[in-house]
mmCIF file of all heavy atoms in Angstrom:
data_model
loop_
_atom_site.group_PDB
_atom_site.id
_atom_site.type_symbol
_atom_site.label_atom_id
_atom_site.label_comp_id
_atom_site.label_asym_id
_atom_site.label_seq_id
_atom_site.Cartn_x
_atom_site.Cartn_y
_atom_site.Cartn_z
ATOM 1 N N SER A 480 -2.212 6.255 -0.350
ATOM 2 C CA SER A 480 -3.494 5.575 -0.067
ATOM 3 C C SER A 480 -3.622 5.315 1.445
ATOM 4 O O SER A 480 -4.722 5.267 1.952
ATOM 5 C CB SER A 480 -3.642 4.287 -0.830
ATOM 6 O OG SER A 480 -2.452 3.520 -0.736
ATOM 7 N N ALA A 556 -48.184 -9.871 20.057
ATOM 8 C CA ALA A 556 -49.608 -9.591 20.311
ATOM 9 C C ALA A 556 -50.146 -10.446 21.439
ATOM 10 O O ALA A 556 -50.834 -9.990 22.327
ATOM 11 C CB ALA A 556 -50.417 -9.768 19.044
ATOM 12 N N HIS A 563 -50.565 -9.916 29.113
ATOM 13 C CA HIS A 563 -50.317 -8.601 29.770
ATOM 14 C C HIS A 563 -48.870 -8.274 30.074
ATOM 15 O O HIS A 563 -48.491 -7.790 31.113
ATOM 16 C CB HIS A 563 -51.148 -8.535 31.061
ATOM 17 C CG HIS A 563 -52.573 -8.813 30.819
ATOM 18 N ND1 HIS A 563 -53.412 -8.000 30.054
ATOM 19 C CD2 HIS A 563 -53.359 -9.852 31.190
ATOM 20 C CE1 HIS A 563 -54.617 -8.516 29.976
ATOM 21 N NE2 HIS A 563 -54.641 -9.669 30.647
ATOM 22 N N VAL A 575 -36.739 -13.636 20.604
ATOM 23 C CA VAL A 575 -36.148 -14.892 21.077
ATOM 24 C C VAL A 575 -37.012 -16.097 20.595
ATOM 25 O O VAL A 575 -36.416 -17.103 20.116
ATOM 26 C CB VAL A 575 -36.084 -14.929 22.580
ATOM 27 C CG1 VAL A 575 -35.675 -16.317 23.074
ATOM 28 C CG2 VAL A 575 -35.099 -13.916 23.057
ATOM 29 N N GLY A 592 -30.510 -28.315 -0.378
ATOM 30 C CA GLY A 592 -29.746 -27.398 -1.232
ATOM 31 C C GLY A 592 -30.622 -26.271 -1.672
ATOM 32 O O GLY A 592 -31.820 -26.328 -1.570
ATOM 33 N N ALA A 606 -48.466 -21.874 3.500
ATOM 34 C CA ALA A 606 -49.255 -22.513 4.585
ATOM 35 C C ALA A 606 -49.510 -21.596 5.789
ATOM 36 O O ALA A 606 -50.359 -21.855 6.593
ATOM 37 C CB ALA A 606 -48.529 -23.773 4.999
ATOM 38 N N PRO A 631 -49.234 2.061 22.013
ATOM 39 C CA PRO A 631 -48.799 2.643 23.249
ATOM 40 C C PRO A 631 -48.567 4.183 23.149
ATOM 41 O O PRO A 631 -48.271 4.686 22.089
ATOM 42 C CB PRO A 631 -47.438 1.926 23.453
ATOM 43 C CG PRO A 631 -46.980 1.477 22.140
ATOM 44 C CD PRO A 631 -48.240 1.172 21.373
ATOM 45 N N LEU A 635 -43.632 8.452 30.505
ATOM 46 C CA LEU A 635 -43.134 9.569 31.326
ATOM 47 C C LEU A 635 -43.714 10.907 30.851
ATOM 48 O O LEU A 635 -43.064 11.902 31.042
ATOM 49 C CB LEU A 635 -41.596 9.641 31.232
ATOM 50 C CG LEU A 635 -40.830 8.328 31.459
ATOM 51 C CD1 LEU A 635 -39.346 8.533 31.139
ATOM 52 C CD2 LEU A 635 -40.967 7.891 32.882
ATOM 53 N N ASP A 642 -47.655 8.463 17.105
ATOM 54 C CA ASP A 642 -46.855 8.110 15.889
ATOM 55 C C ASP A 642 -45.368 8.382 16.109
ATOM 56 O O ASP A 642 -44.524 7.568 15.741
ATOM 57 C CB ASP A 642 -47.384 8.889 14.691
ATOM 58 C CG ASP A 642 -48.754 8.392 14.241
ATOM 59 O OD1 ASP A 642 -48.906 7.156 14.198
ATOM 60 O OD2 ASP A 642 -49.611 9.202 13.967
ATOM 61 N N ALA A 682 -15.263 -24.664 2.482
ATOM 62 C CA ALA A 682 -15.353 -24.047 3.816
ATOM 63 C C ALA A 682 -15.279 -25.122 4.888
ATOM 64 O O ALA A 682 -14.649 -25.026 5.894
ATOM 65 C CB ALA A 682 -16.687 -23.261 3.945
ATOM 66 N N PHE A 697 -29.850 -19.042 10.552
ATOM 67 C CA PHE A 697 -31.308 -19.108 10.356
ATOM 68 C C PHE A 697 -32.000 -18.526 11.548
ATOM 69 O O PHE A 697 -32.976 -17.764 11.441
ATOM 70 C CB PHE A 697 -31.728 -20.603 10.182
ATOM 71 C CG PHE A 697 -32.727 -20.784 9.050
ATOM 72 C CD1 PHE A 697 -32.412 -21.479 7.913
ATOM 73 C CD2 PHE A 697 -34.015 -20.266 9.210
ATOM 74 C CE1 PHE A 697 -33.313 -21.616 6.870
ATOM 75 C CE2 PHE A 697 -34.942 -20.428 8.163
ATOM 76 C CZ PHE A 697 -34.592 -21.109 7.031
ATOM 77 N N GLY A 708 -41.590 -7.997 12.929
ATOM 78 C CA GLY A 708 -43.024 -8.350 12.945
ATOM 79 C C GLY A 708 -43.671 -7.818 14.243
ATOM 80 O O GLY A 708 -44.787 -7.345 14.226
ATOM 81 N N GLY A 768 -57.899 3.604 -13.159
ATOM 82 C CA GLY A 768 -58.926 2.652 -12.893
ATOM 83 C C GLY A 768 -58.468 1.513 -11.942
ATOM 84 O O GLY A 768 -57.273 1.286 -11.760
ATOM 85 N N ALA A 771 -55.615 -1.230 -12.055
ATOM 86 C CA ALA A 771 -54.201 -0.849 -11.887
ATOM 87 C C ALA A 771 -53.658 -1.213 -10.546
ATOM 88 O O ALA A 771 -52.473 -1.121 -10.274
ATOM 89 C CB ALA A 771 -54.024 0.640 -12.178
ATOM 90 N N ARG A 809 -11.754 11.520 -9.662
ATOM 91 C CA ARG A 809 -10.975 12.440 -8.801
ATOM 92 C C ARG A 809 -9.492 12.156 -8.989
ATOM 93 O O ARG A 809 -8.722 13.123 -8.946
ATOM 94 C CB ARG A 809 -11.362 12.199 -7.351
ATOM 95 C CG ARG A 809 -12.622 12.991 -6.965
ATOM 96 C CD ARG A 809 -12.985 12.744 -5.490
ATOM 97 N NE ARG A 809 -11.870 12.961 -4.633
ATOM 98 C CZ ARG A 809 -11.683 12.231 -3.492
ATOM 99 N NH1 ARG A 809 -12.567 11.264 -3.170
ATOM 100 N NH2 ARG A 809 -10.664 12.474 -2.718
#
Side-chain angles (χ1 to χ4, degrees):
Chain A
S480 48
H563 306 293
V575 171
L635 312 171
D642 289 316
F697 223 113
R809 276 180 51 214

